């Protein structure tokens, strides 16, 4: 697509989306690299949530931040522990994997430094969390979006030459072939790269995107509801199993529990997230409720039916970003789009070298 799209590719390779194709399937890759951590002894799910929490706490006494329910990709309970973290550093998280068929610990590890998760952090923060890495990724998303749009303007073909400009022809010179690859890859990847960059910016800078989304449908800030008048000190909370039963009873038809967050010092409620039964496991959650830990009552509902269209978009950005909203086909499309910048970079570099003084001019390619 010309020099502008070459610049898109160079920025893209240096920026956040360099490992984008990888992270679309990072959970599958992680399971493949660590089969012992993700292979339960049997197919039956007999372990209760209380048993899972007790087993995980015995293996790692650090506070439990998140509990991921088994799914097709990770068919075990994954318990995430919040270890003490120095101020300004990336959160120190460890995971304990618990077999759902017998409640036994399959293993534990440093979550943020595991290979697949480290590549994920590279994509999200460039491994520069303490030095505005996340914000740099967001800025790169803005640049990618702008450069992609300008590249289309510079590339747009003359009337009657559109299909010729978005296809790769046979029996042409090497330089003509490279030129075709450059234009074709840029055009067909444009939509995916635009969506990836827009949602990436929204994930990093939600407060910037929220007013724009509000022009169509007003979104609300993510809540963190508390029980403002808890029962007297010493009142025992409900067991995790009771919380799970209440969450399952409150789930909308076709939805299953995907993730649970126990109460914390700043939020004294249980947060339970759901996903559609049988949905692509890459969609980690769609909607949540908050439960009173003493009564089990729902204190806040933020499932899809209770959210505005703007809320749903803000909540769905990550799944649109990695293609999971559209199932396996969407993820494969995003995976393929992750390689488009590499093709643009290489073909753009070749064309630039060939266009130097004394080389073949672009005009002779047409």
């Amino acid at each position: 697509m010309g020099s502008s799209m070459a610049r898109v590719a160079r920025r893209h390779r240096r920026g956040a989306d360099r490992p984008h194709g990888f992270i679309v399937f990072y959970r599958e890759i992680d399971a493949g690299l660590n089969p012992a951590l993700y292979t339960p002894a049997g197919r039956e799910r007999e372990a209760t949530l209380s048993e899972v929490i007790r087993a995980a706490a015995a293996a790692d006494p650090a506070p439990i931040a998140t509990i991921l329910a088994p799914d097709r990709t990770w068919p075990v309970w994954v318990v995430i522990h919040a270890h003490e973290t120095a101020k300004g550093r990336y959160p120190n998280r460890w995971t304990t994997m618990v077999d759902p068929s017998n409640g036994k610990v399959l293993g534990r590890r440093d979550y943020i430094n595991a290979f697949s998760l480290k590549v994920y952090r590279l994509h999200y923060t460039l491994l520069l969390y303490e030095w505005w890495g996340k914000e740099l990724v967001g800025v790169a998303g803005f640049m990618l979006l702008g450069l992609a749009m300008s590249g289309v303007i510079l590339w747009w073909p003359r009337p009657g030459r559109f299909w010729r400009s978005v296809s790769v022809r046979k029996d042409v010179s090497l330089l003509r072939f490279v030129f075709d690859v450059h234009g074709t890859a840029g055009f067909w990847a444009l939509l995916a790269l635009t969506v990836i960059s827009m949602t990436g910016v929204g994930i990093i800078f939600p407060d910037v995107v929220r007013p724009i989304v509000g022009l169509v449908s007003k979104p609300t800030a993510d809540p963190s509801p508390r029980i403002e008048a808890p029962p007297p000190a010493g009142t025992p909370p409900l067991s995790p199993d009771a919380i799970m039963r209440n969450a399952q009873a409150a789930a909308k038809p076709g939805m299953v529990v995907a993730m649970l967050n126990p109460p914390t010092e700043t939020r004294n409620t249980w947060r339970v997230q759901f996903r559609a039964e049988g949905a692509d496991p890459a969609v980690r959650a769609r909607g949540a409720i908050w439960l009173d830990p003493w009564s089990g009552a729902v204190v806040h509902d933020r499932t899809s039916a209770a959210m505005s269209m703007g809320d749903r978009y803000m909540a769905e950005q990550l799944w649109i970003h990695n293609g999971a909203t559209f199932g396996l086909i969407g993820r494969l499309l995003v995976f393929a789009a992750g390689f488009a910048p590499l093709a643009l970079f290489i073909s753009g570099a070749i064309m630039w070298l060939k266009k130097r003084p004394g080389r073949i001019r672009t005009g002779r390619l047409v």
Side-chain angles (χ1 to χ4, degrees):
M1 278 193 183
S3 61
S4 182
M5 289 308 293
R7 290 196 299 273
V8 171
R10 289 194 291 271
R11 298 281 189 181
H12 202 70
R13 279 172 55 83
R14 291 198 297 265
D17 285 318
R18 178 161 43 187
H20 195 91
F22 178 97
I23 70 164
V24 170
F25 295 101
Y26 84 96
R27 295 178 70 235
E28 288 84 353
I29 293 170
D30 188 49
L33 293 175
N34 303 278
L37 295 176
Y38 296 108
T39 305
R43 296 184 179 180
E44 297 298 325
R45 297 183 179 181
E46 299 176 351
T48 65
L49 182 59
S50 294
E51 292 172 335
V52 169
I53 290 175
R54 282 197 296 270
D60 187 340
I64 293 174
T66 304
I67 305 165
L68 307 180
D71 59 34
R72 294 197 307 269
T73 307
W74 287 349
V76 300
W77 289 95
V78 179
V79 181
I80 303 177
H81 304 263
H83 284 251
E84 186 174 352
T85 306
K87 186 177 180 180
R89 301 297 299 273
Y90 197 90
N92 184 9
R93 299 289 185 261
W94 284 66
T95 53
T96 302
M97 284 67 169
V98 180
D99 191 325
S101 65
N102 55 28
K104 294 182 179 180
V105 172
L106 293 168
R108 59 183 296 268
R109 64 174 177 174
D110 181 349
Y111 183 64
I112 65 169
N113 287 314
F115 172 72
S116 296
L117 282 302
K118 201 156 190 174
V119 174
Y120 194 100
R121 287 199 295 125
L122 172 64
H123 176 75
Y124 186 50
T125 69
L126 302 179
L127 300 182
L128 297 173
Y129 182 83
E130 300 86 356
W131 294 279
W132 302 89
K134 187 171 70 171
E135 288 74 14
L136 288 173
V137 170
V139 170
F142 274 117
M143 296 172 66
L144 172 63
L145 183 59
L147 290 171
M149 294 299 100
S150 63
V152 170
I153 294 171
L154 293 174
W155 161 85
W156 199 259
R158 295 192 298 271
R161 300 174 64 88
F162 178 80
W163 289 111
R164 179 179 176 183
S165 299
V166 295
S167 59
V168 179
R169 285 165 289 175
K170 300 178 181 179
D171 302 324
V172 294
S173 67
L174 175 61
L175 186 57
R176 178 71 257 183
F177 175 78
V178 170
F179 191 85
D180 286 352
V181 168
H182 190 79
T184 301
F187 175 79
W188 292 114
L190 174 65
L191 179 60
L193 291 177
T194 300
V195 172
I196 289 169
S197 60
M198 289 176 59
T199 52
V201 168
I203 293 167
I204 301 296
F205 300 118
D207 292 337
V208 173
V209 173
R210 191 173 282 113
I212 300 173
V213 174
L215 297 175
V216 178
S217 175
K218 185 174 178 59
T220 55
D222 292 336
S224 185
R226 289 178 48 85
I227 306 300
E228 298 299 339
T235 303
L238 294 177
S239 69
D241 292 338
I243 292 295
M244 176 64 91
R245 287 193 296 270
N246 284 23
Q248 291 170 333
K252 302 296 188 291
M255 304 299 285
V256 296
V257 173
M259 196 179 312
L260 304 99
N261 302 103
T264 65
E265 292 181 358
T266 57
R267 172 185 45 80
N268 61 1
T269 52
W270 277 86
R271 180 175 183 243
V272 182
Q273 300 184 68
F274 302 96
R275 61 177 175 82
E277 188 172 11
D280 190 325
V283 179
R284 298 298 301 141
R286 272 197 172 123
I289 59 174
W290 284 257
L291 301 176
D292 185 319
W294 296 281
S295 70
V298 177
V299 297
H300 188 78
D301 184 343
R302 198 176 171 84
T303 53
S304 295
M307 290 192 290
S308 68
M309 186 172 65
D311 285 330
R312 288 197 293 272
Y313 173 77
M314 295 299 294
E316 192 81 7
Q317 283 185 106
L318 179 58
W319 319 130
I320 299 173
H321 186 70
N322 65 17
T325 292
F326 310 103
L328 180 60
I329 292 176
R331 289 207 287 159
L332 288 172
L333 178 62
V334 172
F335 179 81
F339 291 97
L342 178 62
L344 290 170
F345 175 79
I346 294 174
S347 57
I350 293 174
M351 290 192 300
W352 179 81
L353 290 171
K354 292 292 185 180
K355 286 168 63 178
R356 288 184 304 169
R359 299 286 185 174
I360 300 175
R361 296 187 306 172
T362 304
R364 294 177 61 186
L365 294 173
V366 181

